[in-house]
Amino acid sequence: MNHPGTPNLYDTSKHVKDGGLTFRARFGVERNGVNLLAEGSFGRGSEIKDGYPEFSDKVLKKLGWWNDLTPEEQGAAEGRNWKTDLSGGIQRVAIKHGCSPFGNAKARAMVWTFPDPVPIHREPLYTSRRDLVAKYPTYEDRKSFWRLPTRYQSIQAIDFSKDYPIILTSGRLVEYEGGGDESRSNRWLAELQQEMFVEIHPRDANNAGIKDGDDVWVEGAEAAKVKVKAMVTRRVDSGVAFMPFHFGGHFQGKDLREKYPEGADPYVLGEAANTAFTYGYDSVTQMQESKCSLCRITKA
Amino acid sequence: MIQYLIDGPLWYFSLAVFFIGVVWQLIAVVFTGNKADLSVPRDSAASGAIKTFFSRFVPHREIAPAIMLPVVAGYMFHLGLFALLFFAAPHVVFLEENLLGFGWTPMPHWAFIVAAQFAFFGLIVLWLRRLVNPVSRLISTLDDHIAAILTFVVMLTGCFALLEGSTGLRLLHRFTVELWLIYFPFSALMHTFTFVPSRMLTGAWFGRRGVDA
Amino acid sequence: MLSLVLTLAFGLQLSSADASNIPPQKPNVPDGVSALNPGSDLWREVRRRDGVGEFNEVNQGVLVKDLLSEIQRSRQVPQGISQVNQVDSGVMINAKGRRWAAFRMTTLASYSGIALAAIFVIIITFYVVRGKVPIEGGLSGNMVKRFTDYERITHWTLAVVFLLLAITGLILLLGRPLLIPLFGKEAFALLASASKEGHNLFGPLFLVSLIMMLISFARRNIYEKGDLTWLLKGGGLIGKGHASGGFFNMGEKTWYWMVILIGLVISISGLILVSPNFGQGRLIMELMHIVHAVSAMILIVVSVGHMYLGSIGSEGALEGMKTGYVDINWADAHHDRWGKHCHEEDLIVSAEEYARMQGQPADSAEPAMEQGK
Amino acid sequence: MAQMKFYCDAERCIECNACVTACKNEHEIPWGVNRRRVVTIKDGEQGERSLSVACMHCADAPCATVCPVDCFYTTGDGIVLHDKDICIGCGYCFYACPFGAPQFPEQAAFASRGKMDKCTFCAGGPEEDHSSNEYKKYGRNRLSEGKLPLCAEMCSTHALLAGDADVLSDIYRKRVINRGASAFEWGVNQLKS
C-alpha cells in the first residue's frame, strides 16, 4: 500500500492513505444516551461523511463493501474485526473507502472508569504548598485498592514542609538510561557522569551553607537519607531540588561495591534517587510517586 | 642493528659475565681460606658471625656522629636504589618478561620518582664525600670512582628513559646496565655479595675468641 | 621576591597598554525597543572573560600584572561547566595562552640567549683585560681551614644539581631554535625527552640542597657594617684599592642570598609546574613558568660569574672549596677581617703540617699547591 | 585544497555530549583524555549557550609555536597534526592552546603526563594510513577513507559542522538567513517582551 506513515495522529486534512487519521472509536458507540461517534467531522476523501464505529466483517457487510474483499480475504475476515483479521483485508477496504479502520469518534477525554474521568490537579501527598491542599485535595484513603490498603488523605493531612522545606523531584540524564546499571558500565558514558548529584538553587545552597561540589545529605520526608554531590545551578527554581535516578550501588551513604558479583560492578556507583522518595501511589496504575516529594538538604 | 645487539646477544653476554664472575669471585673468596685458629674456642664462632653481621648495620656509638653523613647518605642511596630496582613499574615488567617469569605489584609512579630522588641524592653526597674527605680521597682507588660514576650513569640514563616513549633512550639505559653488569665482578661492586661473608668471617673470628666485635 | 619584581619590571616594560577590556557597547537601538540580544551579549562576555585585545606584534609581550588580574577575574566571572571534569575544561577560550606562547618563544628565548652569550663575552674580556687576580705577596704555603667537609659537600651537591638542571632547562628552552637545525627533530626529541625527565626529577633535589645550604651558611652571610664600603669600592674588581670583608665579603653574601631567595622562587614555581595533579589552571601554570624561567635565567647568568670568580678569576680561591684549606695570604688579601681573626686565634697550619695531612711523605714539603695522589 | 575547519552552531547545540562519546568510542581514547568537550555558558540561565570545543586546527597554531621539540605539522588540508614519537609530554601546548585541546593520559606528580593526544580531525598521524600503529597512536583515519570526522557526523542537531571552511560558512550563512529576525526574537529578552 506504500503508506507514508502518520506524522500527526489526528489529521483529517489528509486522506487516510496519505497519512491522515481520525479519533478512534475505542469505547463503543454510545454512553448514557450520548452518541460517542464523531458528528460532522470526517477524514478527507472519506465516503462516510460522519462518525463510524470500528470496522469488522459485520460493518463491511452492512455497508455493502464485503465484496470488495478478495475471496481469500473474505475467508480470513469471516467473523473477525480489523484487529483480528490477519489478512488485513478489512483494513485495506476501509482505507480504500477513505475511512480509518478503527472508526471515527469524538475526541473526548472522558474516562469514566477512572476516579477522575477528566484529569484534574490533585496536590501531591507531600507538599509544601498547604494552600493548594485545600483547593486541590487528594483522594480519600482506600481500604482495598486491588486488595491493598492505600493511603492518600491521611498522609496529605500531615504538614511535612516544616522540617522538609525543599520540593524534591527526579528525572533523566542524557548519558544514562533506566536504572543505569548497563549505561554506567559503559566506559565512555560513565566518564561523563561520574557522580550522583542533586541540583540545588544557589539561594537554597547558600542558606544551607553548601558550595558546588560538596557532599550533602538529601533526607527524604520519610527520613531516608542519600549522600550525594551538590550541584549549585540555576537549572532548578529556588525551593526545588532535582536528582537523576540512574544511579545505584550506594545505600544511605554506604558504598556497596563489594556486594556486586565479581567483575560485574559498573564504573560509576551512586545513591539511588528513589531511596529518598516517599509513599504515594497513582489512583489508577499504582505507579509509585517519584516525581514530587519533600526533602531536607544538609552538608555531609 | 644496535637494537638487536643490545636487546639480544650483548644482554646475554653481560648476564653470563655477571653470574659467572660473581660465582667465580665468591668461590675465590671461600677457597682462599685462612690459617686455622689453634686457640681454644671460648665462644661459638657461629653466633659471633651472626651477631656481627647484624651489628654492622648500625654505626658504632662512639664514631656515629663522625660518620653520620655517609651512613645516612649510604642508606638513602641503597634503599632508594633497591626500592627503585625491584618495585618500579618498568623494572617489574622487565623482570617478569625477561628474567623471572613472574611479577609483583609495583610502587605507584610518584613513589618510584621519590625513591629515585633519594638514590640520586644519596649517591651524589656519598661520591662527593669520597672526594672531599682527604682521608677517603687518599684511599679511593680509580675502581671506586668508576663504580660510583658508572652506577650514577646507569641511574641517570634510567631517569632519562622515564617517559618510556622512545626506544633510543631505553636502549641507552639498557646498554649502560649491560656495561655495569660486565664491570661488576671485577670491581668494588662485588661488595653487594661479599659484605655477607666478610662480616661473618670477622664476626666468627672474634666470636670464637669471645670478643664482642 | 627579587625575581618577582624583576619579572614584573621585565613584563611591564615590554608591553604597551593592553586594550583587552573593551567597555560593553550599548546596542544603538532607539530606546523604546529593547533589543538586548543575549546571544551576542553572551559571546561578548565570553570574549571579554577570556578575551584579549587584538593580538598584534606590538603587545605580544606578556603582562604579568595582566595574568595576575586575569587569575582573579577568572574566579569572579562564572566559568562555563562541562561534563568533562578536567583542568580548565569549563573555560571555553583561553586567549592568554597564545600571548604566553608568543612571549616564551620570542621574548624569553631571545633575551635568554642574548644574556647567556653576553655574560660569557663579558667574562672573557674581563679575563683578557684583568687576568687572574693575583694575591699580594704570593702564596705563603701556610694554610688555614676555611670550609668543613660537610659544607663543601653541601656546596658541591648544590652545584652538581644546579648545573644538571641548568643544562637540561636550557635545552628545553633554547633547544628548538639552536639544536634542531643541528641534530634534526628525532635526535633532539630524544635529548629533550631525557632533559625533561631529568629536569623534573632533579628539581626537588635542588630544593633539598638549597635548604642544606641555607642551614649551614646563613649565619656567616648576614650583612655587616663594613659591607657597604665594600660595595662602594666596587669590591676590588674595579679600581685599585682592596675592599675589606669578613668571612664572606659583601659580594659573596649578595650572591648567597640571590641563590637562596631566587632559588626558592625557582623551586616553588618549579614544584607547582611539576605537579599538575592539584588542578591548578593554565593561567597559574603560565605565570609560574614565566617566573621560573626568568628567575632561572638570572641565576644561571650570575652563576657563570660566580664560577669564574671562584676558579680562574682569583688565585687560590678554588682551594677553599676543593680542599677546605686556603692560603693565609689569600685570606688576608680578600677577607682581611677573617684573616686577622685567624692570626689572633692562631688557626694557621704550617706548610709541613698541611703536607703531612694531605698524605705526602714529610720530606717533600714543597708549597701545598700540589697534593692528592 | 580544502581548508578543514570545525564550526559549532551555538543556537543548535543541546549539550548532549554525543560528539564527545563518539570521538572516544571511535578512537578508543583512554579514560581521562577527552579530545572534544562540550562547554555550557550561563547554564540554566537566560541565554544559556553550549559549544562543542576541540582542536580548531588554527592556521597559526599557538601549540606549534611553543612546542620545545617542534612536533606539530599542518597537512595540506589545514589540519594540525603532531608526531607522538617526538612529543616529550611537557604540557606547554596545553597552556598555549586557546581551546585546551591537547590532552594527556595522566596528570600525575612529577609532570609525568605521557605523550600528548589531541583531535586529529580523524586524519590519523605521521604513520602509514590504516596501519594498526596509526590506530594505536592517533586513532581512526576517516579522512583517508573519504569520510568526515565522526563527531560532526554523530551530532544529532547538526550543530557541529566539520569540513571545508567555505562549505561550512555557506551552511551557516543559510541558517542565519533562515533565522533572520528570529535570532533577534529568540534573542529578545523574554522578561521584557
Side-chain angles (χ1 to χ4, degrees):
Chain A
M1 190 184 295
N2 198 358
H3 193 280
T6 314
N8 300 315
L9 281 189
Y10 170 66
D11 183 359
T12 53
S13 67
K14 281 189 270 183
H15 194 287
V16 177
K17 67 178 171 43
D18 303 333
L21 215 48
T22 58
F23 266 97
R24 179 173 175 186
R26 171 72 180 74
F27 299 102
V29 290
E30 170 272 338
R31 186 175 186 283
N32 304 345
V34 177
N35 165 21
L36 289 184
L37 297 180
E39 282 155 2
S41 149
F42 45 86
R44 165 192 288 267
S46 160
E47 289 178 15
I48 308 172
K49 304 286 188 242
D50 204 350
Y52 46 84
E54 296 186 72
F55 275 78
S56 66
D57 61 341
K58 284 186 250 358
V59 169
L60 280 186
K61 285 183 180 120
K62 188 168 291 180
L63 288 171
W65 296 346
W66 183 252
N67 301 331
D68 295 358
L69 291 171
T70 62
E72 307 77 26
E73 284 176 342
Q74 282 178 356
E78 194 48 48
R80 300 190 175 229
N81 60 40
W82 68 280
K83 290 172 287 213
T84 49
D85 159 22
L86 296 184
S87 71
I90 296 180
Q91 290 168 8
R92 185 179 57 75
V93 167
I95 291 170
K96 193 159 75 66
H97 289 282
C99 301
S100 35
F102 53 51
N104 177 15
K106 287 199 183 87
R108 184 69 79 238
M110 173 65 161
V111 187
W112 47 80
T113 52
F114 281 3
D116 299 334
V118 178
I120 56 168
H121 172 66
R122 290 181 181 276
E123 194 54 22
L125 308 187
Y126 290 86
T127 173
S128 52
R129 294 288 302 276
R130 301 313 297 180
D131 51 341
L132 296 182
V133 167
K135 234 169 114 195
Y136 306 101
T138 183
Y139 308 98
E140 294 75 28
D141 293 1
R142 290 158 75 153
K143 273 213 44 59
S144 161
F145 182 19
W146 300 101
R147 293 185 301 284
L148 278 173
T150 315
R151 300 170 57 202
Y152 294 97
Q153 197 71 43
S154 55
I155 292 181
Q156 191 174 49
I158 309 160
D159 177 4
F160 291 93
S161 63
K162 290 290 172 302
D163 359 321
Y164 301 100
I166 296 181
I167 298 168
L168 184 65
T169 183
S170 74
R172 279 229 37 211
L173 291 178
V174 75
E175 282 83 5
Y176 292 141
E177 191 280 324
D181 209 59
E182 191 186 340
S183 30
R184 275 183 288 111
S185 305
N186 176 318
R187 194 158 52 93
W188 298 299
L189 295 177
E191 190 185 356
L192 290 173
Q193 292 283 7
Q194 299 186 14
E195 276 147 349
M196 166 67 174
F197 57 91
V198 59
E199 291 184 2
I200 316 172
H201 191 273
R203 190 176 307 125
D204 305 328
N206 191 15
N207 298 346
I210 293 167
K211 287 198 310 303
D212 189 39
D214 282 356
D215 277 334
V216 290
W217 281 107
V218 176
E219 193 181 338
E222 284 166 4
K225 293 199 301 184
V226 284
K227 189 171 174 205
V228 292
K229 277 270 187 296
M231 177 180 189
V232 180
T233 170
R234 289 187 181 281
R235 288 186 198 160
V236 285
D237 196 1
S238 167
V240 178
F242 167 86
M243 281 206 295
F245 54 61
H246 300 287
F247 292 84
H250 292 179
F251 186 71
Q252 307 219 61
K254 248 181 7 328
D255 182 344
L256 306 176
R257 189 176 285 273
E258 77 283 352
K259 294 235 183 318
Y260 277 85
E262 188 55 35
D265 57 334
Y267 289 104
V268 168
L269 294 185
E271 288 280 356
N274 287 353
T275 320
F277 272 89
T278 47
Y279 183 90
Y281 295 92
D282 180 75
S283 59
V284 176
T285 61
Q286 290 187 326
M287 163 73 183
Q288 100 269 11
E289 171 58 83
S290 67
K291 280 308 167 200
C292 36
S293 170
L294 292 174
C295 76
R296 170 177 48 207
I297 300 177
T298 50
K299 204 164 163 45
Chain B
M1 170 50 193
I2 303 167
Q3 164 150 9
Y4 164 73
L5 204 62
I6 292 177
D7 281 344
L10 190 55
W11 170 248
Y12 295 110
F13 171 71
S14 61
L15 273 183
V17 166
F18 175 74
F19 280 113
I20 298 165
V22 166
V23 168
W24 185 281
Q25 290 278 21
L26 288 181
I27 293 167
V29 161
V30 168
F31 282 104
T32 48
N34 41 35
K35 287 200 299 302
D37 182 348
L38 306 176
S39 65
V40 173
R42 292 186 187 74
D43 201 340
S44 88
S47 73
I50 304 292
K51 202 156 50 60
T52 310
F53 178 75
F54 288 106
S55 70
R56 289 287 165 80
F57 278 117
V58 178
H60 277 284
R61 223 172 350 82
E62 306 77 18
I63 58 167
I67 57 163
M68 188 45 72
L69 182 85
V71 167
V72 167
Y75 272 120
M76 271 171 77
F77 164 62
H78 283 92
L79 295 181
L81 186 64
F82 294 151
L84 175 69
L85 209 56
F86 298 111
F87 293 100
H91 289 157
V92 173
V93 166
F94 177 80
L95 289 173
E96 187 168 358
E97 277 155 14
N98 292 60
L99 236 60
L100 307 173
F102 62 91
W104 48 88
T105 54
M107 294 190 293
H109 186 75
W110 61 269
F112 164 31
I113 301 283
V114 169
Q117 282 163 346
F118 270 100
F120 273 116
F121 193 74
L123 185 56
I124 292 172
V125 168
L126 273 181
W127 184 58
L128 281 177
R129 183 201 175 272
R130 176 183 291 281
L131 279 176
V132 149
N133 183 310
V135 173
S136 62
R137 185 177 177 139
L138 267 176
I139 58 173
S140 301
T141 63
L142 185 62
D143 159 37
D144 297 331
H145 293 299
I146 293 175
I149 292 169
L150 187 56
T151 313
F152 184 78
V153 164
V154 167
M155 285 162 59
L156 199 64
T157 50
C159 156
F160 285 163
L162 264 171
L163 191 59
E164 295 175 57
S166 53
T167 53
L169 290 171
R170 183 183 64 77
L171 283 178
L172 180 66
H173 179 54
R174 188 164 191 178
F175 177 64
T176 50
V177 169
E178 281 155 4
L179 289 182
W180 188 82
L181 285 173
I182 293 167
Y183 182 72
F184 187 96
F186 313 100
S187 71
L189 293 171
M190 273 304 290
H191 75 277
T192 317
F193 301 105
T194 53
F195 85 99
V196 178
S198 83
R199 282 187 182 175
M200 291 198 161
L201 210 63
T202 328
W205 189 266
F206 284 109
R208 197 170 184 290
R209 305 227 178 123
V211 170
D212 169 18
Chain C
M1 295 7 92
L2 180 69
S3 69
L4 258 188
V5 165
L6 283 175
T7 37
L8 275 179
F10 195 78
L12 275 176
Q13 163 266 339
L14 268 174
S15 75
S16 61
D18 144 49
S20 75
N21 351 46
I22 317 141
Q25 295 94 349
K26 191 178 166 323
N28 41 27
V29 169
D31 284 348
V33 175
S34 86
L36 271 179
N37 180 340
S40 52
D41 290 350
L42 171 81
W43 295 118
R44 188 177 301 115
E45 193 198 329
V46 166
R47 194 72 195 136
R48 182 182 311 113
R49 145 79 179 76
D50 308 312
V52 70
E54 249 343 285
F55 177 81
N56 47 39
E57 287 323 311
V58 168
N59 68 359
Q60 47 127 357
V62 169
L63 190 51
V64 173
K65 182 169 71 58
D66 184 14
L67 263 180
L68 287 174
S69 67
E70 190 55 37
I71 292 176
Q72 284 115 17
R73 199 155 52 144
S74 68
R75 287 199 184 87
Q76 289 134 12
V77 178
Q79 280 190 333
I81 65 157
S82 166
Q83 284 314 118
V84 164
N85 45 25
Q86 280 169 353
V87 172
D88 271 1
S89 54
V91 176
M92 195 174 276
I93 305 170
N94 170 32
K96 284 287 173 277
R98 188 173 54 165
R99 288 185 57 177
W100 166 75
F103 169 77
R104 176 177 186 277
M105 294 318 281
T106 52
T107 324
L108 185 63
S110 48
Y111 276 75
S112 309
I114 296 162
L116 217 52
I119 190 68
F120 278 106
V121 165
I122 294 165
I123 298 256
I124 291 161
T125 50
F126 186 85
Y127 182 69
V128 163
V129 166
R130 184 68 187 271
K132 201 179 182 73
V133 173
I135 305 173
E136 291 87 3
L139 294 171
S140 71
N142 300 332
M143 312 299 274
V144 65
K145 186 157 181 68
R146 185 162 169 78
F147 295 117
T148 67
D149 291 0
Y150 176 74
E151 284 160 358
R152 281 183 285 128
I153 290 176
T154 313
H155 171 270
W156 287 115
T157 316
L158 181 67
V160 165
V161 171
F162 174 78
L163 273 178
L164 204 133
L165 286 172
I167 293 161
T168 48
L170 287 175
I171 287 175
L172 287 174
L173 180 65
L174 305 174
R176 175 167 169 177
L178 302 182
L179 298 181
I180 286 194
L182 300 180
F183 305 154
K185 281 194 185 162
E186 289 69 19
F188 177 68
L190 292 187
L191 184 62
S193 174
S195 313
K196 182 214 147 205
E197 298 303 330
H199 200 79
N200 289 348
L201 194 130
F202 278 87
L205 293 194
F206 178 73
L207 182 59
V208 169
S209 44
L210 203 66
I211 291 163
M212 280 167 60
M213 195 76 168
L214 179 67
I215 294 165
S216 46
F217 284 98
R219 199 173 38 75
R220 283 165 286 180
N221 276 291
I222 297 160
Y223 287 97
E224 292 153 337
K225 197 166 53 49
D227 290 345
L228 207 56
T229 54
W230 183 91
L231 190 64
L232 298 179
K233 294 173 81 168
L237 279 183
I238 311 128
K240 274 295 145 263
H242 220 300
S244 81
F247 187 89
F248 285 127
N249 61 38
M250 194 272 179
E252 285 161 335
K253 287 179 189 167
T254 315
W255 165 241
Y256 173 80
W257 289 117
M258 245 175 129
V259 165
I260 295 293
L261 294 176
I262 299 183
L264 279 178
V265 168
I266 297 177
S267 304
I268 293 157
S269 52
L271 282 178
I272 295 173
L273 281 170
V274 99
S275 46
N277 45 355
F278 295 116
Q280 61 268 29
R282 287 171 291 191
L283 294 172
I284 294 170
M285 286 300 220
E286 286 158 20
L287 185 61
M288 282 306 121
H289 174 270
I290 296 172
V291 167
H292 191 77
V294 172
S295 340
M297 269 327 290
I298 295 166
L299 215 53
I300 292 172
V301 166
V302 182
S303 74
V304 173
H306 168 71
M307 289 181 225
Y308 165 74
L309 270 181
S311 56
I312 316 159
S314 66
E315 194 187 1
L318 191 58
E319 295 315 306
M321 262 306 164
K322 208 163 80 170
T323 60
Y325 285 82
V326 282
D327 198 288
I328 189 59
N329 290 2
W330 181 87
D332 292 341
H334 293 289
H335 303 281
D336 49 0
R337 274 197 240 115
W338 177 58
K340 190 155 55 52
H341 163 71
C342 295
H343 284 295
E344 285 149 8
E345 302 293 326
D346 190 21
L347 302 166
I348 300 163
V349 168
S350 67
E352 302 74 24
E353 174 71 16
Y354 181 71
R356 192 181 52 70
M357 270 168 54
Q358 294 305 319
Q360 277 92 18
D363 46 29
S364 67
E366 83 285 9
M369 275 309 292
E370 290 319 312
Q371 91 294 315
K373 256 264 172 281
Chain D
M1 292 284 277
Q3 183 66 13
M4 286 300 189
K5 285 297 177 214
F6 280 121
Y7 189 79
C8 185
D9 186 345
E11 301 300 323
R12 287 197 178 202
C13 177
I14 56 172
E15 85 188 82
C16 68
N17 281 295
C19 50
V20 175
T21 315
C23 173
K24 283 179 75 83
N25 177 285
E26 175 74 4
H27 302 299
E28 302 280 336
I29 299 174
W31 186 287
V33 174
N34 291 288
R35 294 184 176 184
R36 180 167 283 285
R37 71 184 193 281
V38 175
V39 182
T40 311
I41 297 275
K42 298 179 96 170
D43 181 47
E45 292 163 48
Q46 189 66 38
E48 167 183 347
R49 288 291 182 285
S50 301
L51 264 189
S52 175
V53 178
C55 170
M56 298 297 183
H57 299 281
C58 314
D60 157 28
C63 52
T65 328
V66 82
C67 178
V69 284
D70 194 7
C71 77
F72 287 89
Y73 65 97
T74 308
T75 65
D77 299 341
I79 299 170
V80 176
L81 298 176
H82 73 294
D83 186 342
K84 276 199 174 181
D85 300 335
I86 293 189
C87 167
I88 62 172
C90 63
Y92 286 179
C93 51
F94 174 65
Y95 303 154
C97 174
F99 305 102
Q103 298 287 310
F104 297 93
E106 312 116 24
Q107 290 279 8
F110 300 107
S112 58
R113 294 183 163 91
K115 301 268 178 180
M116 188 270 282
D117 178 77
K118 83 172 193 37
C119 157
T120 60
F121 209 89
C122 286
E127 294 285 342
E128 202 261 328
D129 282 357
H130 309 311
S131 62
S132 75
N133 212 349
E134 177 189 52
Y135 184 76
K136 210 160 9 71
K137 285 187 190 168
Y138 304 101
R140 186 90 52 209
N141 188 343
R142 288 171 59 92
L143 246 63
S144 65
E145 296 161 14
K147 300 178 187 156
L148 281 176
L150 192 67
C151 50
E153 303 296 314
M154 197 63 82
C155 180
S156 44
T157 61
H158 297 306
L160 183 57
L161 309 172
D164 177 33
D166 304 338
V167 173
L168 297 196
S169 45
D170 283 349
I171 296 172
Y172 190 62
R173 185 184 312 110
K174 285 201 199 72
R175 287 189 187 172
V176 169
I177 293 167
N178 294 347
R179 287 182 192 144
S182 68
F184 236 49
E185 276 152 27
W186 276 357
V188 171
N189 192 326
Q190 279 79 359
L191 302 184
K192 289 204 179 67
S193 56

